Amino acid sequence: QSASSICSYTGNATPAGWNGTSTTSTYRPRFYLTGNIAPVPSAYSWIPTTSLSSSTASNPTASPTANTSYTCTATVNGCPIVSNSVAITVNALPSISASSASATICMGTNTGLTATGGSTYAWSPSTNLSAGTGATTTFTPSASGNNQSYTVTGTDINGCTSTAQVSVNVLGVPAGISVTGTTPNCNNTV
C-alpha cells in the first residue's frame, strides 16, 4: 500500500496525507492526518500502541524495534470515518569493521586503514588521514609515543549506520639514529 493512501478518506472529502521520515538507524515514521476531511476527526486511535509516542495523537512517532503494522482509525463523535494500515520495516544495523594494515608503525611511515560492512564511510577524527571518507584511507602520524584511534561510521544502502574503531601505535625513531631517505624499522637499524 502506498504511503499516500494511509489514513485516506474515500468519501466526498479531500484525501488525508501521510509523511514518513527516517533516522540513520531505523525507519521511524511520523503519522499525521491533514487536509480538509469533512467532517473533521475528533479522535484518532492507533493500534498496536507498542513503540508509539501516543496512541491517540493525529501524528505519533513510531519507533518499533521489529517489523510492525499500525492501523489508524479517525473518528467523529465515536463513529469511525476512516481506517487504514501501514507496515513499517525495521532494517538491521550494518556490521561495520575497521582494520589497519599495521597495528604498530614507526614515525615517518604510514599505514592503510580499511572499513567494511557498509556502502559509505566517514572517518573521525580525520587528522593525519589522506581522506576523511571512503572505505580506505592512509594514516601518516605527526607525533609518536601513543596510540592513535579512529572511529569509522559506516552507512548501508538503507541509510542505517553503525561504527567501528581501529588504533595504530606510533613508535618514535630510536635516539641517535638519523633517518635520511630510508624508513627505520624501529630496531635501531636503517
Side-chain angles (χ1 to χ4, degrees), residues 2 21 43-45 50 52 58 64-65 74 81 85-86 105 158 172 175 184 186:
S2 71
T21 59
Y44 302 91
S45 175
T50 307
L52 287 178
S58 65
T65 57
I81 61 169
S85 298
V86 61
I105 62 173
N158 298 310
C186 299

Side-chain angles (χ1 to χ4, degrees), residues 57-76:
S58 65
N59 62 340
T61 299
S63 302
T65 57
N67 295 349
T68 305
S69 181
Y70 292 98
T71 300
C72 171
T73 302
T75 60
V76 173

Side-chain angles (χ1 to χ4, degrees), residues 83-136:
S83 182
N84 220 324
S85 298
V86 61
I88 306 300
T89 300
V90 178
N91 296 308
L93 295 177
S95 179
I96 304 299
S97 62
S99 62
S100 174
S102 298
T104 300
I105 62 173
C106 294
M107 190 64 194
T109 64
N110 59 45
T111 188
L113 305 180
T114 303
T116 60
S119 298
T120 62
Y121 305 92
W123 296 87
S124 177
S126 60
T127 307
N128 299 322
L129 295 180
S130 61
T133 60
T136 60

